[in-house]
Amino acid sequence: MAVVVDVDDIADPRVDDFRDLKAADRRPDRPGGKGLVIAEGVVVVQRMVNSPFTPHALLGVEKRRRELADDLAGLDVPYYRVSAEVMAEVVGFHLNRGVLAVARRPPEPEFGPLLDEARTVAVLEGVNDHENLGSIFRNAAGLGVDAVLFGERCADPLYRRAVRVSMGHVLRVPFTRIPDWPNGLELLRRRGFQLVALTPDPGAHTLATAVTGGRVALLFGAEGPGLTEQTMAAADVRARIPMAAGTDSLNVATAAALAFYERVRTA
């Protein structure tokens, strides 16, 4: 069971891992800083506890501790119990979800072994919005995507906002970087993945006709610019989502959800 430690001093150094979460230069969840992962809210904390990201401390109000009692039963870590007022002073804003958990970042999985059992992967290039990134992970978890692979210029998937928007699924869906981007896409092809590049180009195949029943890598770019031409050229096929006249694109997380569903439907 998590050990309850009452904290009423906002300067208590034991809660430093939760401090100043809105201060960009001091955030503990920056990769170049302490390199911590922060889960926010009961559901996300529950998913952290049941993930490879084992928390080493929690900060929260008594009500949330009671709600998490069963989940924390097997953890020998401190639960820093605070009032809502003290918690707001420590984190830098009023946190209405009432509980945070913090874990250290484990090394990312190796690229090759991660693909051994995978049949469907999402590949992201330039997706630099944390909310879109979190939504893609949530969609990936719900629609059976085995892993998320990163090319260049993507946001940090373990930033607190991305973790929160994903509802903790970024802690459960494996992810790693593709080496030597975009040449590393050839490593996917060698393992039998069909590379499907999503594009609004009306001349592309429809998603329903492009996705096969074998191993598939679905490639997504940032909203606006989309995938680079170099990455598009590395794909096996370009695919579009049929849309009503007068619209030119979808939010990237929405497009990913539709692509993941089409994959589930045809696999």
Side-chain angles (χ1 to χ4, degrees):
M1 172 64 72
V3 179
V4 177
V5 179
D6 287 312
V7 173
D8 55 15
D9 179 3
I10 63 172
D12 193 319
R14 292 175 295 182
V15 298
D16 281 352
D17 283 351
F18 304 95
R19 193 176 303 283
D20 295 331
L21 297 186
K22 291 188 72 174
D25 59 340
R26 296 194 298 275
R27 279 202 333 258
D29 56 340
R30 294 179 64 191
K34 290 185 176 181
L36 301 177
V37 184
I38 294 175
E40 178 182 337
V42 169
V43 172
V44 181
V45 169
Q46 288 171 327
R47 292 196 171 126
M48 175 178 273
V49 169
N50 294 289
S51 81
F53 296 78
T54 304
H56 61 263
L58 296 98
L59 175 75
V61 299
E62 170 62 13
K63 179 180 178 181
R64 299 299 183 233
R65 187 196 68 80
R66 291 196 303 268
E67 292 172 358
L68 287 163
D70 290 343
D71 302 280
L72 303 181
L75 289 180
D76 184 18
V77 299
Y79 185 103
Y80 296 115
R81 183 168 58 187
V82 292
S83 66
E85 293 73 22
V86 169
M87 190 170 192
E89 290 291 334
V90 170
V91 303
F93 59 96
H94 181 68
L95 188 81
N96 57 16
R97 292 171 181 82
V99 65
L100 296 166
V102 63
R104 294 175 181 85
R105 294 181 182 229
E108 289 185 5
E110 293 183 22
F111 177 74
L114 185 62
L115 300 178
D116 286 345
E117 304 298 326
R119 287 185 53 79
T120 306
V121 298
V123 179
L124 309 182
E125 179 186 46
V127 179
N128 55 14
D129 180 271
H130 290 102
E131 295 194 3
N132 281 336
L133 200 58
S135 295
I136 288 171
F137 270 91
R138 187 175 182 181
N139 295 336
L143 292 165
V145 173
D146 299 304
V148 176
L149 307 177
F150 290 104
E152 292 181 339
R153 305 182 313 282
C154 289
D156 175 20
L158 296 179
Y159 173 51
R160 180 176 57 88
R161 186 183 302 160
V163 176
R164 185 188 71 229
V165 172
S166 79
M167 292 302 295
H169 288 298
V170 71
L171 307 176
R172 304 175 72 185
V173 177
F175 64 85
T176 196
R177 316 283 161 175
I178 296 178
D180 188 25
W181 180 264
N183 299 324
L185 288 169
E186 180 61 28
L187 300 173
L188 286 167
R189 184 178 289 108
R190 291 176 190 170
R191 287 174 171 263
F193 284 89
Q194 179 199 27
L195 305 181
V196 181
L198 272 289
T199 174
D201 182 354
H205 294 275
T206 63
L207 192 59
T209 61
V211 176
T212 66
R215 305 181 93 185
V216 172
L218 297 161
L219 281 60
F220 304 94
E223 291 188 47
L227 294 165
T228 62
E229 278 303 318
Q230 190 177 9
T231 300
M232 295 281 279
D236 297 310
V237 62
R238 302 184 184 197
R240 62 181 174 85
I241 297 169
M243 300 177 63
T247 55
D248 59 355
S249 65
L250 295 172
N251 169 273
V252 64
T254 302
L258 290 171
F260 298 159
Y261 175 76
E262 186 63 31
R263 170 60 170 161
V264 170
R265 191 183 69 81
T266 58

